[in-house]
Amino acid sequence: MDATDQKRLLREMLFARRFEERCAEAYHERQIGGFLHLYPGEEACAIGVLEKARTGYDYVVTGYRDHIHALKSGMDPKALMAELFGKEAGCSKGRGGSMHLFDPDVHFMGGYALVGGPFPLAAGFAKAIQLRGGQEISICFLGDGANNQGTFHETMNMASLWKLPVLFICENNLYGIGTAIERSTVEINQYKRVAPYGIEAAQCDGQDIDIVMSHAEKAVNYVREQRKPYFLELMTYRLRGHSMSDSGAYRSKEEVEEWAQRDPIGIYKRRLVEAGVVTEEEFHAMDKSIQDEIENEVVRYAMECPEPRVEDVARYVYTEGGNNHG
Amino acid sequence: MAELMYWQGILRAHDEEMARDPLVFAMGEDIGVAGGTYKATSGLFAKYGEHRVVDTPISENSYTGIGVGAAMVGARPIVEIMSVNFAWLAMDQLMNNAAKIHYMSGGRIRCPFVMRVPGGTAHQLGAQHSARMEKVFMGISGLRVVTPATPRDAYGLLKSAVRSDDPVVIIEHESMYNLKGEVPDEEFFTPLEGVEIMRPGKDVSIFAYNISVHWALDAAQKLASEYGIDAEVIDLRALKPLDRAGIAASVRKTHRAIIVEEDEAPVGVGSEVMAIINEECFFDLDAAPVRVHALDVPIPYNHRLEKAAIPNAGDVVAAVKKMFGR
Ligand SMILES: Cc1ncc(C[n+]2csc(CCOP(=O)(O)OP(=O)(O)O)c2C)c(N)n1
Ligand SMILES: [Mg+2]
């Protein structure tokens, strides 16, 4: 990977962080409502994995912590922020919200609130790819907690049985809301849980984007070439609460501090500075330009664009012509 | 015009649609090699192969979700659930995903998903094989729900459902697969909306769907020959969305309404039709509408108790007589 790409990746991670920090502000100002789940500390996971996939071509699906997966899949940040503001120009026309981002134009297939719900959907995309004889793969990002749902086991079984081209990415951040993984799960190494289904799997650090990318590259190539599932577990940590209303009482300050030392942006920045790819000054300039872009282009757009018309509240319940026959 | 059995109508619709479009595929337990519990997919496995006639493991929620995912990216799944009782396990994928994706994506993702389920009570199958779930499905925004009463509609509704871009649940009936009836030789499509007048009449409207249409027709014959009451029998057929105008039109003509359902009364088809009559044409009524329905009990095994729990044509006759003070 050359210096230009390295700088771009650093910028993407920093953009993700600043974008979500701005979301949190807008939430406190009540411009964003509902539930808001942020991804700080986990950026190297979505960005590292999707760097090695063919975004816009491969299908991507995830849960409710979906902003950065959507951005890296190619969603316009303005459409994302407009969605959070509930606007008609939002990626889901203001009908979805933070947990239900969609952009089928770039094959970003959502944004789902039910823990474990996307497992079968991801296998379904792969089933359709298989029927069409396509070369795309399906990529499903979910948390460690999702692996205790029946859909996890049912889907692993069918994906393996039918040789469906799905890459399962487990973002293991050690908690499902306030319950630590060892208090909910017997086998805490998630990648071991797919072995009985005959699925190849690996576990790696999710904080160092270079490590994520090297594992993701292998995983993506495996699924694309072998046309069967693969499971990659990324060890990570969220630096904020589960959602905006989280007290955080279930984690010690020391633990959070320890993981903050392994902030993926910090790790990558230090590496690039040491290698002479960026200077401190360049990094600060990058940060400033990101914050300016977010404020002047993204947030301004989201604020100024119109809300959906109330007359349209029942639009999209059915497709137009859904009663069509013949 | 050929006489076909109900299951043969379903089979013919599958075969025609699968021959036409390579992205139409069927999934379900025992539908392939075994040919389907009610033969409705017999012979298709040999003709279309294991990728398009998929024998699934017993994982209702996740294979439903795989169908939904495949539908979201352009395939046209026909998912059979072996018995409607088992559809409870698939409710998560059906309600949370299939029914809502089009709306919550602001119309950007379509879900042309079809679920077929045998419903109703057969004989002495016990409480866990005798659920009638129309009321559950018809309460979910975004779904279409249809209930064929004849071989013609078993064929024509499946044809329309496969072509529709909306998710459609087709509730068949365990006791009707061998029912015979005329089905036109040429291709045709039963609309997914609207009632059908099965027998025109002027004295009372009897609203029914699925198997209760046959009870209503038997009752109407008896009412005409023995009591000189000319009943109009309406097959509701599409339970979601219900045809408010069609229901009101019949009541405006006859001024009386009876609703016949195989299900328990609470929160059911009958209550919904009554509410519509109330809202649309209350002042056209000459008598308070009446529901004929199952007892509010888990269906018992014992033959006499089971019979007592489920309504029949005699109950419809009795209800009409009572309404007319005979
Ligand atoms: C079916 C279901 N049950 C419970 C919840 C409430 N809930 C939302 S997120 C969550 C924790 C999920 O943890 P994990 O899968 O590890 O993802 P993370 O939030 O850590 O990224 C729970 C219990 C839900 N949304 N859906
Ligand atoms: Mg977690």
Side-chain angles (χ1 to χ4, degrees):
Chain A
M1 181 169 272
D2 65 21
T4 319
D5 279 331
Q6 287 176 317
K7 271 194 243 180
R8 173 178 55 77
L9 275 183
L10 182 63
R11 190 179 199 283
E12 286 177 14
M13 285 201 285
L14 190 58
F15 187 94
R17 179 70 56 87
R18 296 299 188 211
F19 184 95
E20 291 205 308
E21 285 169 351
R22 190 61 184 83
C23 292
E25 267 177 52
Y27 187 87
H28 291 306
E29 291 160 10
R30 295 178 184 272
Q31 287 157 322
I32 297 176
F35 288 133
L36 184 68
H37 306 84
L38 304 178
Y39 198 60
E42 306 191 31
E43 291 92 344
C45 299
I47 294 176
V49 168
L50 292 177
E51 177 68 16
K52 292 300 170 186
R54 288 180 61 187
T55 50
Y57 177 74
D58 294 329
Y59 291 92
V60 176
V61 69
T62 186
Y64 41 82
R65 203 180 298 285
D66 57 348
H67 304 169
I68 307 311
H69 307 75
L71 283 179
K72 182 64 180 170
S73 294
M75 181 183 286
D76 180 348
K78 294 202 285 294
L80 201 173
M81 192 64 88
E83 185 61 32
L84 303 182
F85 278 57
K87 299 300 184 71
E88 182 72 21
C91 61
S92 312
K93 303 209 171 84
R95 272 71 167 178
S98 165
M99 298 182 283
H100 306 303
L101 306 175
F102 296 93
D103 194 349
D105 294 347
V106 297
H107 290 185
F108 181 73
M109 304 308 290
Y112 298 85
L114 278 278
V115 174
F119 282 124
L121 298 182
F125 308 151
K127 173 70 191 169
I129 293 167
Q130 188 185 60
L131 277 177
R132 288 198 296 248
Q135 286 307 301
E136 308 97 316
I137 68 170
S138 172
I139 307 176
C140 177
F141 290 85
L142 286 174
D144 46 291
N147 298 348
N148 288 329
Q149 285 286 20
T151 50
F152 168 82
H153 297 276
E154 295 180 353
T155 303
M156 293 305 147
N157 182 48
M158 286 185 274
S160 184
L161 187 67
W162 299 335
K163 298 194 167 41
L164 300 178
V166 197
L167 172 55
F168 296 102
I169 304 292
C170 175
E171 301 171 328
N172 186 350
N173 61 12
L174 309 177
Y175 290 86
I177 308 187
T179 303
I181 187 165
E182 64 275 9
R183 297 185 58 238
S184 66
T185 310
V186 175
E187 176 53 75
I188 61 170
N189 292 294
Q190 300 303 305
Y191 77 103
K192 291 188 181 169
R193 301 178 76 187
V194 299
Y197 301 110
I199 296 178
E200 289 278 322
Q203 183 187 53
C204 73
D205 180 17
Q207 302 309 93
D208 182 334
I209 195 166
D210 282 326
I211 296 179
V212 173
M213 287 191 295
S214 81
H215 281 78
E217 184 164 28
K218 271 185 240 152
V220 165
N221 289 343
Y222 177 94
V223 176
R224 202 177 313 280
E225 280 154 26
Q226 308 273 322
R227 311 310 296 170
K228 53 186 183 181
Y230 189 92
F231 186 95
L232 178 61
E233 177 183 9
L234 306 176
M235 302 309 295
T236 188
Y237 199 80
R238 62 172 157 68
L239 295 173
R240 298 182 73 112
H242 168 76
S243 66
M244 297 305 288
S245 57
D246 182 346
S247 69
Y250 51 88
R251 311 194 291 195
S252 69
K253 269 207 184 77
E254 295 72 38
E255 181 183 303
V256 178
E257 192 40 49
E258 215 172 286
W259 279 92
Q261 297 305 316
R262 306 214 60 247
D263 182 321
I265 298 173
I267 291 175
Y268 200 52
K269 181 200 142 192
R270 278 195 298 277
R271 182 169 306 142
L272 298 196
V273 170
E274 276 163 28
V277 174
V278 285
T279 62
E280 286 290 344
E281 294 70 45
E282 280 172 329
F283 182 76
H284 286 296
M286 179 189 279
D287 194 8
K288 169 110 183 26
S289 90
I290 286 171
Q291 295 193 46
D292 287 349
E293 178 186 339
I294 290 171
E295 206 52 50
N296 301 335
E297 293 177 35
V298 177
V299 173
R300 174 180 295 175
Y301 176 80
M303 279 191 195
E304 289 174 358
C305 64
E307 304 227 8
R309 302 185 315 165
V310 173
E311 308 89 272
D312 286 338
V313 65
R315 217 176 147 189
Y316 308 126
V317 174
Y318 295 126
T319 59
E320 266 161 46
N323 180 32
N324 235 347
H325 39 93
Chain B
M1 186 128 51
E3 185 159 85
L4 292 186
M5 287 195 255
Y6 195 81
W7 68 267
Q8 291 171 314
I10 298 164
L11 176 60
R12 184 181 142 194
H14 272 97
D15 194 14
E16 287 177 9
E17 291 305 297
M18 292 183 73
R20 177 187 62 87
D21 179 351
L23 289 177
V24 175
F25 72 102
M27 284 173 89
E29 293 160 35
D30 284 339
I31 69 159
V33 173
T37 311
Y38 301 97
K39 296 193 285 193
T41 50
S42 53
L44 297 178
F45 185 85
K47 193 165 173 186
Y48 297 104
E50 64 177 357
H51 289 295
R52 294 184 63 201
V53 184
V54 185
D55 280 315
T56 64
I58 306 152
S59 306
E60 285 81 6
N61 196 32
S62 294
Y63 68 72
T64 295
I66 289 176
V68 173
M72 288 168 63
V73 298
R76 298 211 167 241
I78 306 172
V79 171
E80 176 181 305
I81 304 273
M82 194 179 247
S83 152
V84 78
N85 303 267
F86 316 149
W88 288 113
L89 282 86
M91 289 313 275
D92 162 44
Q93 291 294 322
L94 188 70
M95 315 185 35
N96 288 312
N97 291 341
K100 298 188 169 94
I101 274 165
H102 185 255
Y103 190 90
M104 68 183 186
S105 69
R108 298 188 70 195
I109 297 183
R110 297 177 169 224
C111 186
F113 167 85
V114 179
M115 177 185 277
R116 293 180 37 243
V117 286
T121 55
H123 290 293
Q124 292 195 276
L125 300 186
Q128 293 186 336
H129 279 85
S130 303
R132 293 121 299 152
M133 282 172 60
E134 296 78 19
K135 60 169 72 171
V136 178
F137 298 119
M138 70 189 275
I140 303 170
S141 292
L143 287 185
R144 292 182 177 277
V145 183
V146 294
T147 56
T150 60
R152 184 199 61 170
D153 284 346
Y155 164 81
L157 287 171
L158 179 53
K159 292 279 292 184
S160 297
V162 171
R163 305 280 181 108
S164 172
D165 281 344
D166 295 326
V168 183
V169 176
I170 306 178
I171 304 172
E172 297 161 3
H173 199 287
E174 300 209 358
S175 303
M176 287 181 7
Y177 285 98
N178 290 333
L179 178 82
K180 283 187 185 154
E182 305 254 283
V183 181
D185 296 326
E186 65 279 9
E187 178 175 64
F188 83 95
F189 299 82
T190 304
L192 298 175
E193 291 177 19
V195 300
E196 176 152 346
I197 302 173
M198 301 297 276
R199 179 193 193 279
K202 59 179 184 358
D203 296 334
V204 57
S205 302
I206 307 180
F207 296 100
Y209 62 93
N210 207 336
I211 199 167
S212 67
V213 170
H214 301 282
W215 305 337
L217 287 169
D218 288 350
Q221 205 171 8
K222 192 158 184 196
L223 288 164
S225 61
E226 294 180 21
Y227 303 97
I229 296 173
D230 183 19
E232 173 150 297
V233 176
I234 303 279
D235 181 1
L236 293 167
R237 195 166 58 202
L239 299 184
K240 177 103 184 157
L242 267 170
D243 178 7
R244 300 177 72 90
I247 291 167
S250 180
V251 174
R252 287 201 183 99
K253 182 164 93 173
T254 65
H255 309 290
R256 290 168 194 270
I258 302 264
I259 305 108
V260 194
E261 58 194 320
E262 192 190 10
D263 205 346
E264 316 96 315
V267 206
V269 179
S271 8
E272 194 54 36
V273 172
M274 270 193 179
I276 288 171
I277 293 170
N278 224 4
E279 289 158 0
E280 298 282 336
C281 52
F282 181 78
F283 294 104
D284 290 288
L285 287 168
D286 284 347
V290 168
R291 291 179 292 181
V292 176
H293 54 83
L295 301 183
D296 194 3
V297 298
I299 297 302
Y301 163 71
N302 174 276
H303 173 65
R304 292 173 61 183
L305 297 183
E306 181 184 50
K307 228 173 137 222
I310 306 297
N312 57 37
D315 297 326
V316 181
V317 173
V320 174
K321 278 172 60 187
K322 191 171 170 208
M323 182 180 268
F324 282 85
R326 309 266 186 99

Coordinates of all heavy atoms in Angstrom, one line a residue, chain A residues 37-39 42 64-65 99 112-117 142-149 170-179 181 238 242-243, chain B residues 92 96, ligand 1:
Chain A
H37 N -26.2 4.7 18.1 CA -25.1 3.8 18.5 C -23.9 4.2 17.7 O -23.9 4.1 16.5 CB -25.5 2.4 18.2 CG -26.8 1.9 18.8 ND1 -28.0 2.1 18.1 CD2 -27.1 1.2 19.9 CE1 -29.0 1.6 18.8 NE2 -28.4 1.1 19.9
L38 N -22.8 4.6 18.4 CA -21.6 5.1 17.8 C -20.5 4.0 17.8 O -20.6 3.1 18.6 CB -21.2 6.4 18.4 CG -22.3 7.5 18.4 CD1 -21.8 8.8 19.1 CD2 -22.8 7.8 17.0
Y39 N -19.5 4.3 17.0 CA -18.5 3.2 16.7 C -17.1 3.6 17.1 O -16.1 3.1 16.5 CB -18.6 3.0 15.2 CG -18.1 1.8 14.5 CD1 -18.5 0.5 14.9 CD2 -17.2 1.9 13.5 CE1 -18.0 -0.6 14.2 CE2 -16.7 0.8 12.8 CZ -17.1 -0.5 13.2 OH -16.7 -1.6 12.6
E42 N -13.7 1.4 17.1 CA -13.9 0.2 16.2 C -13.7 0.5 14.8 O -13.9 -0.4 13.9 CB -15.3 -0.4 16.5 CG -15.6 -0.7 17.9 CD -16.9 -1.5 18.1 OE1 -17.2 -2.3 17.3 OE2 -17.6 -1.3 19.2
Y64 N -27.3 -2.2 14.0 CA -27.7 -0.8 14.2 C -26.5 0.2 14.4 O -26.7 1.4 14.3 CB -28.5 -0.8 15.5 CG -27.8 -1.7 16.5 CD1 -26.8 -1.2 17.3 CD2 -28.2 -3.0 16.6 CE1 -26.1 -2.1 18.1 CE2 -27.5 -3.9 17.4 CZ -26.4 -3.4 18.2 OH -25.7 -4.3 19.0
R65 N -25.3 -0.4 14.6 CA -24.1 0.5 14.7 C -23.5 0.6 13.3 O -22.5 0.0 13.0 CB -23.2 -0.2 15.7 CG -22.2 0.7 16.4 CD -21.2 0.0 17.3 NE -21.9 -0.7 18.4 CZ -22.4 -0.1 19.5 NH1 -22.3 1.2 19.6 NH2 -23.1 -0.8 20.4
M99 N -30.5 3.6 12.8 CA -30.3 2.1 12.8 C -30.7 1.5 11.4 O -30.6 0.3 11.2 CB -31.2 1.5 13.9 CG -30.8 1.9 15.3 SD -31.8 1.2 16.5 CE -33.3 2.1 16.4
Y112 N -30.0 -2.8 10.7 CA -31.1 -3.5 11.3 C -31.0 -3.5 12.8 O -29.9 -3.6 13.3 CB -31.1 -5.0 10.8 CG -31.3 -5.1 9.3 CD1 -30.2 -4.9 8.4 CD2 -32.6 -5.1 8.8 CE1 -30.4 -4.9 7.1 CE2 -32.8 -5.1 7.4 CZ -31.7 -5.0 6.5 OH -31.9 -5.0 5.2
A113 N -32.2 -3.4 13.4 CA -32.2 -3.2 14.9 C -32.2 -4.5 15.7 O -31.8 -4.6 16.8 CB -33.4 -2.4 15.3
L114 N -32.7 -5.6 15.1 CA -32.9 -6.8 15.8 C -31.6 -7.6 15.9 O -31.0 -7.9 14.8 CB -34.0 -7.7 15.2 CG -35.4 -7.4 15.5 CD1 -35.8 -8.0 16.8 CD2 -35.8 -5.9 15.4
V115 N -31.0 -7.8 17.0 CA -29.7 -8.4 17.2 C -29.8 -9.8 16.5 O -30.7 -10.6 16.9 CB -29.3 -8.5 18.6 CG1 -28.1 -9.4 18.8 CG2 -29.1 -7.1 19.2
G116 N -29.0 -10.1 15.6 CA -28.9 -11.4 14.9 C -29.8 -11.5 13.7 O -29.7 -12.4 12.9
G117 N -30.6 -10.5 13.4 CA -31.5 -10.5 12.3 C -30.8 -10.5 10.9 O -31.3 -11.1 10.0
L142 N -21.5 -8.2 12.4 CA -22.3 -8.2 13.6 C -21.5 -8.3 14.9 O -20.3 -8.6 14.8 CB -23.4 -9.3 13.6 CG -24.6 -9.1 12.6 CD1 -25.4 -10.3 12.6 CD2 -25.4 -7.9 13.0
G143 N -22.1 -8.0 16.0 CA -21.3 -8.0 17.3 C -21.2 -9.4 17.8 O -21.8 -10.4 17.4
D144 N -20.5 -9.5 18.9 CA -20.3 -10.8 19.6 C -21.6 -11.2 20.2 O -21.9 -12.4 20.2 CB -19.3 -10.6 20.8 CG -19.6 -9.3 21.6 OD1 -19.4 -8.2 21.0 OD2 -20.0 -9.4 22.7
G145 N -22.5 -10.3 20.7 CA -23.7 -10.7 21.3 C -24.7 -11.4 20.3 O -25.4 -12.2 20.7
A146 N -24.6 -11.0 19.1 CA -25.5 -11.6 18.1 C -25.3 -13.1 17.9 O -26.2 -13.8 17.5 CB -25.3 -10.9 16.7
N147 N -24.1 -13.6 18.3 CA -23.8 -15.0 18.1 C -24.5 -15.9 19.1 O -24.4 -17.1 19.0 CB -22.3 -15.2 18.2 CG -21.5 -14.5 17.2 OD1 -22.1 -14.0 16.2 ND2 -20.2 -14.4 17.3
N148 N -25.3 -15.3 20.0 CA -26.1 -16.2 20.9 C -27.5 -16.3 20.4 O -28.4 -16.9 21.1 CB -26.0 -15.6 22.3 CG -24.7 -15.9 22.9 OD1 -24.0 -16.9 22.6 ND2 -24.2 -15.0 23.8
Q149 N -27.8 -15.7 19.2 CA -29.1 -15.9 18.6 C -29.2 -17.2 17.8 O -28.2 -17.6 17.3 CB -29.4 -14.7 17.7 CG -29.8 -13.4 18.4 CD -31.2 -13.4 19.0 OE1 -31.8 -14.5 19.2 NE2 -31.7 -12.2 19.2
C170 N -17.2 -10.8 12.8 CA -17.6 -10.6 14.1 C -16.8 -9.5 14.8 O -15.6 -9.7 15.0 CB -17.5 -11.9 14.9 SG -17.9 -11.7 16.7
E171 N -17.5 -8.4 15.1 CA -16.8 -7.3 15.8 C -17.0 -7.6 17.3 O -18.0 -7.3 17.9 CB -17.5 -6.0 15.5 CG -17.5 -5.7 14.0 CD -18.3 -4.5 13.6 OE1 -19.4 -4.3 14.2 OE2 -17.9 -3.9 12.6
N172 N -16.0 -8.3 17.8 CA -16.1 -8.7 19.3 C -15.5 -7.5 20.1 O -14.3 -7.4 20.4 CB -15.3 -10.0 19.5 CG -15.5 -10.5 20.9 OD1 -16.0 -9.8 21.8 ND2 -15.0 -11.7 21.2
N173 N -16.5 -6.7 20.7 CA -16.1 -5.6 21.5 C -16.3 -6.0 23.0 O -16.3 -5.1 23.9 CB -16.8 -4.3 21.1 CG -18.3 -4.5 21.3 OD1 -18.8 -5.5 21.8 ND2 -19.1 -3.5 20.7
L174 N -16.4 -7.3 23.3 CA -16.4 -7.8 24.6 C -17.7 -7.6 25.4 O -17.8 -8.1 26.6 CB -15.2 -7.3 25.4 CG -13.8 -7.5 24.7 CD1 -12.7 -6.9 25.6 CD2 -13.5 -9.0 24.4
Y175 N -18.6 -6.8 24.9 CA -19.9 -6.6 25.6 C -21.1 -6.6 24.7 O -21.0 -6.2 23.5 CB -19.8 -5.2 26.2 CG -18.8 -5.1 27.4 CD1 -17.5 -4.8 27.2 CD2 -19.3 -5.3 28.7 CE1 -16.6 -4.7 28.2 CE2 -18.4 -5.2 29.8 CZ -17.0 -4.9 29.5 OH -16.1 -4.9 30.5
G176 N -22.2 -7.0 25.2 CA -23.5 -6.8 24.6 C -24.2 -5.8 25.5 O -24.5 -6.2 26.7
I177 N -24.3 -4.6 25.1 CA -24.7 -3.5 26.0 C -23.9 -3.6 27.3 O -22.6 -3.4 27.2 CB -26.2 -3.4 26.4 CG1 -27.1 -3.5 25.0 CG2 -26.6 -2.1 27.1 CD1 -28.6 -3.3 25.2
G178 N -24.5 -3.9 28.5 CA -23.7 -3.9 29.7 C -23.3 -5.3 30.2 O -22.8 -5.4 31.3
T179 N -23.5 -6.3 29.4 CA -23.1 -7.6 29.8 C -21.8 -8.1 29.2 O -21.7 -8.2 28.0 CB -24.3 -8.6 29.5 OG1 -25.5 -8.1 30.1 CG2 -24.0 -10.0 30.1
I181 N -18.9 -10.4 27.9 CA -19.0 -11.6 27.1 C -18.9 -12.9 28.0 O -19.7 -13.8 27.8 CB -18.0 -11.6 25.9 CG1 -18.3 -12.8 25.0 CG2 -16.6 -11.6 26.4 CD1 -17.6 -12.7 23.7
R238 N -15.5 -0.6 22.1 CA -16.1 0.7 21.9 C -15.7 1.6 23.0 O -15.8 1.3 24.2 CB -17.6 0.6 21.6 CG -18.4 0.1 22.7 CD -19.9 0.2 22.5 NE -20.6 -0.7 23.3 CZ -20.7 -0.7 24.6 NH1 -20.1 0.3 25.3 NH2 -21.3 -1.6 25.3
H242 N -22.8 2.1 24.9 CA -23.5 1.3 23.9 C -24.3 2.2 23.0 O -24.3 2.1 21.8 CB -24.4 0.3 24.6 CG -25.4 -0.4 23.6 ND1 -25.0 -1.3 22.7 CD2 -26.7 -0.2 23.4 CE1 -26.0 -1.7 22.0 NE2 -27.1 -1.0 22.4
S243 N -25.1 3.1 23.6 CA -25.8 4.1 22.9 C -25.7 5.4 23.7 O -25.0 5.5 24.6 CB -27.3 3.7 22.7 OG -28.0 3.6 23.9
Chain B
D92 N -40.1 -13.3 13.3 CA -39.1 -12.2 13.4 C -38.7 -11.8 12.0 O -38.7 -10.6 11.6 CB -37.9 -12.7 14.2 CG -36.6 -11.9 13.9 OD1 -36.7 -10.7 13.9 OD2 -35.5 -12.5 13.8
N96 N -40.2 -8.2 11.1 CA -39.2 -7.2 11.3 C -38.4 -6.9 10.0 O -38.0 -5.7 9.8 CB -38.2 -7.6 12.4 CG -38.8 -7.5 13.8 OD1 -39.4 -6.5 14.1 ND2 -38.6 -8.6 14.5
Ligands
LIG1 C1 -33.5 -9.4 19.3 C2 -33.0 -8.3 20.1 N1 -32.8 -8.4 21.4 C3 -32.3 -7.5 22.2 C4 -32.1 -6.2 21.7 C5 -31.5 -5.1 22.5 N2 -30.1 -4.9 22.2 C6 -29.7 -4.0 21.3 S1 -28.0 -4.0 21.1 C7 -27.8 -5.3 22.2 C8 -26.4 -5.8 22.4 C9 -25.8 -6.5 21.2 O1 -24.5 -6.7 21.5 P1 -23.5 -7.1 20.3 O2 -24.1 -8.0 19.3 O3 -22.2 -7.6 20.9 O4 -23.2 -5.7 19.5 P2 -22.6 -4.4 20.0 O5 -23.7 -3.5 20.4 O6 -21.6 -4.7 21.1 O7 -21.9 -3.8 18.8 C10 -29.1 -5.7 22.7 C11 -29.2 -6.7 23.8 C12 -32.3 -6.1 20.3 N3 -32.1 -4.9 19.7 N4 -32.7 -7.1 19.5

